[in-house]
Amino acid sequence: MPQGNSPTLLADLGGTNVRFALAGDDVATPLRMDSIRRYRVKDFASLADAARQYFADTGGHAAQAVIAAAGRIANGETVKVTNNPWAISAQALQAELRMDAVHLVNDFAAQSMSVPLLSADSLSPVGPLSAPVLDQPQSQTFVVMGPGTGLGVAGLLWRNEQWIVLESEGGHAGFAAHTTEDVEILHRLNARFGRVSNERMICGNGLVNLYLALADIAGQPAEEYSPEDITSHAEAGSDPLCVRTVETLAGIFGSVAGDLVLSLGGWEGVYLTGGVLPFLLPWLHRGGFRERFEAKGRFRETMERVPTLAIVHPEAGLLGAAAIALRAAGHSLQPRS
């Protein structure tokens, strides 16, 4: 684990990009925003190569690292990054970069640990409820989730004056159809993929999967659209099927978020994040997300009292990695005002 006051390299590694930064000196400056650089995964053979390029570009150095990676961490030592060709070993990376320590965490563990450090202007309520007050005397449980190259899911627990992250691969849980249209979509994706996970729809490529399914349901010819094509047509209103695709994704996103509240007992709130969220956010405000989030039968009244909040901090993953480094160095994480 990182410790002491020596510089700490931070990395937020997804399926498409890796972002590097250096941790700040204390809780007041947990992340040096001027140190952030982004690199395309496909341009490097390994994470070590990308890190060396980062140090060459910035002139920085670090004696230790916190690596937040989009995949399941095995024994705190290795990870095969989902949707990414790199396989990472903490010990091997430590040796390659000649560091004192390298700590691997799941990317949504880092996203979750950013929550205690987020200021009010880094959160945007989705729906009528405001952000909850953190650090209460009683226990609190939150869901942290969101779409990027894949769908990340974690639980954030406040217990005995400590923040605890429940790491998961909940994005790969099976999709539960809630509407007649959901059933039709499920039939078509099942024919393509066999098992259908939530991630098949709630991520960048999920837009294409939904678009193709909806085109087939409507009996329309499908264009060879990329996720970027679908979002641009939806934003411009130039293709009704693209508009319907994004609306459908927003609704399914709400259903899955609500299911996670029920599964994890996340009654204090849901924090939404991920690389696709900035585009989706206006669509989440238009009604489908929150209605399907609350539509949980006998639990509707309970769900109506659960806030949903979009994290709009530009680098929540790196901020959370910085929080992990700070806590390992003995700092207390207090919510920001």
Side-chain angles (χ1 to χ4, degrees), residues 66 92 246 270 290:
V66 174
V246 180
V270 179
R290 189 69 202 188

Side-chain angles (χ1 to χ4, degrees), residues 27-335:
V27 176
T29 57
L31 172 63
R32 287 178 46 188
M33 297 296 291
D34 62 348
S35 71
I36 297 171
R37 300 290 187 278
R38 183 182 72 172
Y39 300 89
R40 301 280 289 182
V41 167
K42 67 179 183 180
D43 294 336
F44 298 91
S46 68
L47 179 60
D49 286 344
R52 281 190 282 263
Q53 186 64 54
Y54 170 75
F55 289 135
D57 291 344
T58 62
H61 69 283
Q64 51 210 8
V66 174
I67 310 298
R72 182 177 178 273
I73 310 300
N75 302 315
E77 164 58 23
T78 61
V79 59
K80 172 62 181 75
V81 185
T82 310
N83 303 311
N84 178 312
W86 294 346
I88 300 164
S89 160
Q91 287 188 357
L93 187 62
Q94 179 178 330
E96 285 186 85
L97 296 179
R98 299 182 179 181
M99 289 184 169
D100 298 331
V102 170
H103 180 48
L104 293 181
V105 299
N106 176 265
D107 62 330
F108 265 72
Q111 293 276 354
S112 299
M113 286 304 297
S114 76
V115 169
L117 297 181
L118 291 172
S119 57
D121 61 3
S122 292
L123 295 170
S124 175
V126 177
L129 303 176
S130 58
V133 177
L134 305 185
D135 200 11
Q136 295 293 294
Q138 69 273 20
S139 297
Q140 294 178 299
T141 302
F142 304 93
V143 174
V144 183
M145 66 173 301
T149 305
L151 175 64
V153 174
L156 179 64
L157 288 65
W158 175 248
R159 300 289 189 275
N160 301 318
E161 299 187 350
Q162 292 288 331
W163 289 107
I164 302 167
V165 176
L166 176 62
E167 298 185 23
S168 88
E169 288 297 331
H172 296 278
F175 171 62
H178 290 264
T179 68
T180 300
E181 184 179 68
D182 285 357
V183 173
E184 294 297 322
I185 292 169
L186 179 59
H187 282 326
R188 285 156 176 83
L189 296 188
N190 183 259
R192 286 181 62 196
F193 300 113
R195 181 180 182 274
V196 180
S197 67
N198 293 322
E199 185 175 276
R200 289 296 187 188
M201 285 156 285
I202 309 173
C203 69
N205 285 330
L207 281 165
V208 176
N209 295 335
L210 282 173
Y211 171 79
L212 294 174
L214 291 170
D216 191 57
I217 291 168
Q220 295 181 214
E223 302 291 341
E224 294 186 6
Y225 283 156
S226 68
E228 293 76 16
D229 293 332
I230 294 169
T231 57
S232 63
H233 283 297
E235 287 179 321
S238 56
D239 186 328
L241 189 58
C242 290
V243 172
R244 181 62 188 143
T245 297
V246 180
E247 290 174 341
T248 300
L249 190 153
I252 291 173
F253 190 8
S255 287
V256 173
D259 287 345
L260 286 167
V261 170
L262 298 176
S263 299
L264 296 177
W267 312 118
E268 280 71 48
V270 179
Y271 289 89
L272 307 171
T273 184
V276 179
L277 188 68
F279 160 74
L280 278 180
L281 191 52
W283 301 85
L284 301 185
H285 286 299
R286 293 174 188 174
F289 174 88
R290 189 69 202 188
E291 167 54 31
R292 289 191 55 165
F293 176 84
E294 297 173 358
K296 298 302 176 186
R298 289 169 288 178
F299 271 80
R300 175 179 279 276
E301 289 188 7
T302 300
M303 297 301 291
E304 289 173 349
R305 297 192 293 270
V306 178
T308 47
L309 307 138
I311 297 175
V312 295
H313 189 285
E315 298 293 350
L318 289 173
L319 179 64
I324 291 168
L326 286 169
R327 191 167 68 169
H331 294 280
S332 175
L333 301 181
Q334 297 297 327

